[in-house]
Amino acid sequence: MEDDYYSVESILAENQKIQCTFKVDIPDMGHLDGGNERDIKALSKIQVPMWMAYILIYSDYADFTIPPPFSSRVRNALNAEARSVRLSGLVGQGGLWYGFGRMLMGLLNDIPAQELSDVLTKTFRARLPEVIDQAHHFASIHAAAASSSGNSGGSITSDEATIAFREGLDGTEREMFVLAQEGARRTKRWYETSERVRRS
Amino acid sequence: MALPPPLRTSVTPSELELIACEQLVEIIPLVAMERTAFISGAYGPLRPPAKCKVPIWMATNLKLKKKCHIVPPDWLNVDFLQDRLTRETTQPEFSKLPFRFAEIAKVLLDVASDDITNPEKVRSLLQDIREARQSKSREGVSKIDHSELSLPNLCAMEINEIRPFFVRSMGVLTQLVRPPEQGQME
């Protein structure tokens, strides 16, 4: 999420592709598109990874279009019900939708950037309670399953909607899920163990 | 950092318990002992049947050797907790409880349940209070903001439980919110 040089998440988020329209001819670079062309012609549209897009856009070789994960279709869906959008489906399994959005925000300026920031913030806040709820739910199920040891597995049931939501979590939300689950599990374990045995 | 990952996010419940055990509690000693110096301070003298204030760790130690009775703190009884539970379920904010009530109550209920009147009832009241407060702190999640979150009267154990993901999600929000433009600041 951060602009940290050593952050693996940051590097992974940069790996997302973004569509650029070149403004000038660039010789001998046709392989970027994976095509057979030898040169990149002006006005041709090519998907380039985010880390390359930076330099192309800043040095005014190319323009970019807002990539599909942040298209107005997705924004409308998020506005309607943020929890039913599968973020992981937009950026690939374990992808970093928020991280990607943040980088995009850096490329935009003023009003579009502010809009994107609002979308990201609103989505995160709308989805967080559900993430935490499910994490707590799972922590208690697992604790219960562990204590009844006999029939491990099979006791975990959840309906379609929650499964779909969980699969739709993006990388950042997964991290939250793990943190919340771990915290809840640890506290629960402490509440349930009797100290008598340890003390005497 | 050299700490293993699970310990990096916050302290463990048992560490909190250790800290809470430094607090003083009244005991009725069954043995006599001169005033004795410990690292955390000097306690005693123990003169049965006079009451004496000692740290909880010392009280539990003596209790397990059957050398004292513990006088439960004035908030650890059915009446007080019942009152707090009613407030907890009727009012939107967290009710005021001792900061480390969860840890102290658990330790005392574990080792000295025979010194507490109606321990089963106390236990179930504490459980109810905990659940009521938990659902409130969950509501706090929806109010989370990139810069601040105020949940007054939250207790040590509860803060510790929610700390890792509250801190992380506020960090994420800070990243997502656009910093004010330099031009606007001036």
Side-chain angles (χ1 to χ4, degrees):
Chain A
M1 183 62 61
E2 301 85 35
D3 287 322
D4 186 359
Y5 182 82
Y6 294 102
S7 160
V8 177
E9 273 91 56
S10 176
I11 296 170
L12 288 175
E14 275 190 331
N15 218 10
Q16 293 289 335
K17 289 201 168 165
I18 178 171
Q19 181 161 309
C20 286
T21 313
F22 281 83
K23 292 177 178 173
V24 289
D25 287 343
I26 299 170
D28 293 338
M29 277 295 179
H31 60 271
L32 281 182
D33 199 19
N36 305 321
E37 303 287 319
R38 189 179 153 76
D39 306 333
I40 294 177
K41 294 272 187 299
L43 295 180
S44 61
K45 291 185 173 135
I46 291 177
Q47 300 266 349
V48 296
M50 199 71 185
W51 52 265
M52 194 189 288
Y54 275 125
I55 192 73
L56 291 177
I57 291 158
Y58 285 142
S59 27
D60 213 26
Y61 290 136
D63 260 340
F64 72 101
T65 40
I66 298 282
F70 300 95
S71 63
S72 58
R73 202 176 57 82
V74 173
R75 285 185 201 205
N76 288 339
L78 286 171
N79 258 335
E81 177 52 77
R83 281 177 296 177
S84 57
V85 178
R86 299 178 63 150
L87 296 184
S88 73
L90 297 173
V91 285
Q93 194 70 28
L96 296 150
W97 188 78
Y98 294 103
F100 186 30
R102 208 180 90 76
M103 300 206 153
L104 209 57
M105 215 159 85
L107 284 180
L108 296 163
N109 43 25
D110 297 335
I111 295 166
Q114 188 56 50
E115 275 172 12
L116 186 57
S117 163
D118 289 345
V119 170
L120 292 172
T121 324
K122 232 178 105 193
T123 310
F124 186 76
R125 290 183 59 176
R127 291 168 64 98
L128 191 62
E130 182 71 15
V131 174
I132 305 299
D133 274 1
Q134 287 209 18
H136 281 173
H137 177 62
F138 266 77
S140 55
I141 287 178
H142 283 289
S147 59
S148 68
S149 61
N151 53 345
S152 56
S155 61
I156 299 162
T157 51
S158 40
D159 58 286
E160 300 272 326
T162 56
I163 294 174
F165 178 75
R166 221 161 43 247
E167 283 170 357
L169 293 181
D170 107 307
T172 313
E173 288 170 335
R174 268 161 217 268
E175 199 186 329
M176 299 296 149
F177 187 91
V178 171
L179 282 176
Q181 192 181 24
E182 193 46 48
R185 193 184 292 162
R186 200 153 60 169
T187 314
K188 196 170 161 60
R189 203 184 301 135
W190 176 81
Y191 270 106
E192 281 169 1
T193 48
S194 173
E195 302 296 307
R196 256 219 113 103
V197 190
R198 202 187 72 196
R199 281 164 204 280
S200 47
Chain B
M1 257 209 287
L3 276 175
L7 296 180
R8 280 179 213 168
T9 46
S10 69
V11 294
T12 63
S14 12
E15 283 169 322
L16 280 179
E17 187 186 311
L18 185 85
I19 297 167
C21 280
E22 285 298 322
Q23 291 191 5
L24 299 184
V25 68
E26 266 194 326
I27 59 163
I28 303 171
L30 301 174
V31 289
M33 190 182 86
E34 284 312 308
R35 190 172 170 78
T36 314
F38 296 94
I39 293 174
S40 58
Y43 302 107
L46 307 183
R47 299 254 184 277
K51 286 183 184 173
C52 179
K53 280 206 159 183
V54 296
I56 294 174
W57 58 263
M58 189 170 163
T60 52
N61 201 303
L62 288 170
K63 175 70 193 173
L64 287 170
K65 293 175 181 140
K66 303 200 168 32
K67 287 176 179 166
C68 79
H69 293 301
I70 294 176
V71 182
D74 51 7
W75 51 267
L76 192 59
N77 58 57
V78 174
D79 290 342
F80 185 91
L81 293 176
Q82 187 72 60
D83 171 58
R84 283 300 137 99
L85 178 61
T86 326
R87 280 197 220 175
E88 208 72 69
T89 44
T90 49
Q91 290 169 10
E93 70 268 23
F94 291 93
S95 65
K96 201 160 172 53
L97 277 161
F99 186 59
R100 302 189 187 279
F101 83 97
E103 299 91 314
I104 294 173
K106 179 163 187 293
V107 171
L108 294 188
L109 280 169
D110 269 349
V111 299
S113 56
D114 50 333
D115 292 335
I116 296 165
T117 45
N118 206 347
E120 283 314 310
K121 179 79 178 151
V122 170
R123 219 170 252 151
S124 80
L125 278 172
L126 283 167
Q127 177 72 20
D128 290 349
I129 291 179
R130 180 178 171 231
E131 278 164 14
R133 291 169 74 94
Q134 239 176 359
S135 72
K136 281 184 196 173
S137 75
R138 226 176 50 214
E139 278 164 35
V141 176
S142 53
K143 280 183 263 162
I144 200 163
D145 193 280
H146 71 283
S147 59
E148 58 169 350
L149 176 74
S150 166
L151 293 172
N153 290 333
L154 208 59
C155 293
M157 189 56 73
E158 294 154 348
I159 295 176
N160 195 57
E161 183 176 357
I162 62 173
R163 180 186 290 129
F165 70 81
F166 265 68
V167 170
R168 189 73 188 95
S169 41
M170 284 170 96
V172 170
L173 280 172
T174 318
Q175 299 286 325
L176 297 183
V177 171
R178 233 170 138 243
E181 293 288 326
Q182 292 298 316
Q184 290 171 9
M185 300 280 277
E186 286 155 15

